C-alpha cells in the first residue's frame, strides 16, 4: 500500500475512534416517558437534557457533542475558568452547561420560543455545581443588537456556536451577529455540519470578516471545528 493510502487509512481510523468516544458520552433512555430526554457525560457530571422533537433548536445535534468534547479535552489551551463566554443558538443548552461546569461566566442565547426549555435544562444541570451561575438571554440574530448587546458592554472572551448554519434564511443576520459580539481578542469556537452548498458559501463570506482556522475535522460526521478571530481592520 502506498504511503498516501496508509495515511488516509490512519486518519479514517482515528476519525472513527474519536467519533465513537464522543458518541459514547450520550445515554438514550430505553424507558419511554412523556418528555423526551437524553443524558450526557461531560466534565465528570451526568447532564440530563430535555428535548422537544418538534423544533430544530430543541434537539441535541452531533455538532454540540463535538464542541463539548473539545472543550473538555482542551482545557489547557482553551481555559474557560472565569472567562466571559456567550453561546449563540444555544438550543437545549448542553454546550453552555459544559462551559459553565468548566468555570466560565456563560450567557446562553437563543430565540424567545426556546428560552423556557433552555432555562430549565441549564438550571437543573448547573445549580450548586458551577462557579458562576449562567445567564439565559434572548438573541434573535441581527435584531436589536445595539439595544440588547451594546458594543461597549460586549467583553466576551469566547463565542461558542454549534450547528448554527443550516437551511434557514438568516445567514447574513448570523454573520452580523458574530461581528457585533466580537472584539479584537474574542475567540470563536464554531462547529459546523456540512449539508448543502449554502454552508460552503457562508464559510467564504465569513472569511471576509474573520481569520478562520480549521482545528479538527470529522469526515464520518461531515463536521468541522473552527477557531476564528476578527480580522484586524486597523492593518487592513
Amino acid at each position: 500500500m502506498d504511503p498516501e493510502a496508509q495515511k488516509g487509512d490512519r486518519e479514517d481510523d482515528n476519525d472513527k475512534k474519536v467519533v465513537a468516544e464522543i458518541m459514547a458520552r450520550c445515554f438514550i433512555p430505553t424507558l419511554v416517558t412523556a418528555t423526551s430526554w437524553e443524558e450526557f457525560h461531560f466534565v465528570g457530571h451526568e447532564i440530563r437534557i430535555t428535548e422537544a422533537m418538534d423544533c430544530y433548536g430543541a434537539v441535541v445535534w452531533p455538532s454540540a457533542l463535538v464542541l463539548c468534547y473539545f472543550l473538555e479535552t482542551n482545557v489547557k489551551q482553551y481555559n474557560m475558568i472565569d472567562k466571559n463566554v456567550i453561546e449563540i443558538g444555544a438550543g437545549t443548552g448542553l454546550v453552555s452547561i459544559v462551559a459553565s461546569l468548566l468555570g466560565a461566566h456563560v450567557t446562553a442565547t437563543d430565540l424567545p420560543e426556546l428560552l423556557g426549555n433552555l432555562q430549565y435544562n441549564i438550571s437543573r444541570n448547573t445549580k450548586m455545581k458551577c462557579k458562576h451561575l449562567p445567564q439565559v438571554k434572548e438573541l434573535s440574530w441581527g435584531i436589536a443588537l445595539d439595544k440588547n448587546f451594546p458594543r461597549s458592554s460586549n467583553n466576551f472572551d469566547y463565542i461558542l456556536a454549534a450547528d448554527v448554519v443550516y437551511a434557514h434564511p438568516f445567514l447574513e443576520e448570523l454573520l452580523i451577529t458574530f461581528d457585533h459580539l466580537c472584539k479584537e481578542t474574542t475567540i470563536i469556537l464554531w462547529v459546523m455540519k456540512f449539508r448543502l452548498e449554502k454552508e460552503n458559501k457562508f464559510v467564504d463570506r465569513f472569511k471576509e470578516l474573520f481569520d478562520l482556522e480549521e482545528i479538527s475535522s470529522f469526515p464520518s460526521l461531515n463536521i468541522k471545528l473552527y477557531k476564528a478571530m476578527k480580522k484586524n481592520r486597523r492593518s487592513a
Side-chain angles (χ1 to χ4, degrees), residues 7 29 33 39 67 86 89-90 94 109-111 127 137 178:
K7 180 182 177 184
T33 59
E39 189 171 278
L67 186 48
I86 186 168
L94 179 61
T109 70
D110 216 314
L111 297 169
K127 193 173 182 181
K137 289 186 70 174
F178 270 126

Side-chain angles (χ1 to χ4, degrees), residues 12-27:
D12 186 52
D13 289 342
N14 186 58
D15 169 51
K16 290 177 180 176
K17 182 179 178 182
V18 175
V19 167
E21 165 65 17
I22 293 171
M23 294 306 165
R25 302 302 185 92
C26 175
F27 167 76

Side-chain angles (χ1 to χ4, degrees), residues 206-222:
F206 188 88
K207 285 156 88 171
E208 294 174 12
L209 297 178
F210 298 92
D211 292 316
L212 189 65
E213 175 189 352
E214 182 182 315
I215 298 177
S216 299
S217 179
F218 305 90
S220 62
L221 296 174
N222 216 20

